[in-house]
Amino acid sequence: MTTTIHTDVKVGEHTIRLNRAGEGNPEAILFLHGSGPGATGMSNFAQTIEAFADVYDCLVIDQIGWGDSSHPDTAPGARLRQNTDAVLALLDELGLDRVHLVGNSLGGALALHLLARAPERFGKAIGMGAAGAGNMGAPTPAMFRLISFYDDPTPRAMAELISFMLHDPDLFGDRLDAIAEERLATALRPEVERSHRQTFTMAPGSGLGLPEIALKRIPNEVLFVHGREDVIVPPEGSEWFVRRVPNSRLYLIPHCGHWTQIEQAETFNNVARAFLAGQL
């Protein structure tokens, strides 16, 4: 059983909740969660830590504006820039010169922003259902339900939203309602709702993506992993990225929705470990 230590790290004016396992291992991985209501680092990656902490120093954070990290007022469209600054400050605070990145959905978009901003601070990167591709147009109906969750923030709506993340909702069986209620408790905290609304209020011309020229200048090796049946961020997004990030490749997982690390955990863990070890 992996022991995970929970701490709060001060970075400038903000505080980041850090969950850490495997400290002392020679290489570190920073895990970046997605954006759903009530999302936290551990809601996305609690199971994943078990598969990596034997070899890697695993750092799982709540991003600024989520979970138990700070919830400052943020201008429309500024959340990604804020978290890019916060992650770099966190690495400085922890004395880490270089880490690998694993980002889910919005966390995949943040990983790309970090690579574009300071590629020397990062090794390899993995984006799962990464958001921000330039070919996606309007949000999918399932993504719109995520964005507009607070129009109907009920246990039933949360259970439905979680089911959209999965190709096979029966994966959770009769635990789905309990998981939804637990996540709803976080989502209904006033500061969490406020941050969600601020995150998805976009200024004109802002968004999650990077200019294509910035993507083409990323020197790091990047693996885009995508569930073939993802209805939140369709796999065409990763196909678009892999044609623009020079040292990238795509691994498509069948019978899998948006949460590749949960729904196809064994496949994801095996592929991710092989990629990080230079075996893929």
Side-chain angles (χ1 to χ4, degrees):
M1 187 69 177
T2 299
T3 299
T4 303
I5 306 299
H6 314 282
T7 58
D8 292 320
V9 182
K10 189 73 172 174
V11 289
E13 300 177 353
H14 309 306
T15 299
I16 289 181
R17 170 59 57 90
L18 170 65
N19 310 279
R20 190 172 193 173
E23 184 175 0
N25 285 327
E27 295 184 70
I29 304 173
L30 177 63
F31 293 86
L32 304 168
H33 63 76
S35 66
T40 65
M42 292 301 281
S43 74
N44 274 200
F45 296 115
Q47 299 176 59
T48 313
I49 290 176
E50 296 282 341
F52 289 86
D54 59 329
V55 175
Y56 295 96
D57 182 2
C58 295
L59 313 169
V60 181
I61 65 168
D62 292 352
Q63 295 178 43
I64 300 295
W66 278 271
D68 292 320
S69 289
S70 296
H71 289 264
D73 287 333
T74 301
R79 186 70 76 196
L80 265 178
R81 293 194 299 274
Q82 183 179 64
N83 273 297
T84 300
D85 292 340
V87 165
L88 294 172
L90 175 68
L91 298 185
D92 290 340
E93 187 67 27
L94 297 177
L96 294 171
D97 294 329
R98 194 166 178 265
V99 302
H100 301 299
L101 294 170
V102 173
N104 179 50
S105 195
L106 176 72
L110 176 56
L112 291 171
H113 278 255
L114 289 164
L115 296 180
R117 170 87 166 270
E120 72 283 355
R121 300 299 302 272
F122 304 101
K124 297 181 179 182
I126 301 171
M128 307 106 75
N135 64 333
M136 300 310 293
T140 64
M143 174 60 88
F144 183 77
R145 295 292 288 275
L146 182 154
I147 293 170
S148 62
F149 172 79
Y150 288 98
D151 293 347
D152 178 35
T154 62
R156 180 178 179 179
M158 180 62 82
E160 181 182 59
L161 182 57
I162 291 173
S163 75
F164 292 160
M165 302 289 180
L166 304 164
H167 171 60
D168 181 12
D170 290 339
L171 175 71
F172 285 141
D174 57 8
R175 295 184 299 122
L176 184 61
D177 288 341
I179 293 167
E181 289 183 10
E182 180 180 352
R183 186 152 170 165
L184 184 65
T186 300
L188 291 181
R189 286 162 44 186
E191 72 276 17
V192 173
E193 178 179 353
R194 186 183 72 249
S195 290
H196 178 96
R197 293 184 182 277
Q198 290 177 345
T199 298
F200 288 104
T201 300
M202 292 296 181
S206 70
L208 302 180
L210 287 161
E212 289 192 39
I213 188 62
L215 293 171
K216 292 175 180 178
R217 290 174 177 168
I218 290 174
N220 311 68
E221 290 188 64
V222 181
L223 175 66
F224 292 99
V225 178
H226 221 116
R228 188 182 64 191
E229 285 75 32
D230 188 344
V231 297
I232 300 290
V233 179
E236 288 80 7
S238 285
E239 293 170 1
W240 186 90
F241 278 129
V242 83
R243 291 188 175 94
R244 287 157 178 81
V245 179
N247 297 309
S248 67
R249 64 207 73 180
L250 172 63
Y251 194 95
L252 195 65
I253 302 179
H255 313 298
C256 185
H258 193 54
W259 280 346
T260 57
Q261 80 280 17
I262 294 174
E263 189 166 21
Q264 295 287 349
E266 184 176 1
T267 297
F268 172 77
N269 293 339
N270 289 339
V271 169
R273 285 184 64 125
F275 172 69
L276 292 174
Q279 299 168 354
L280 181 67

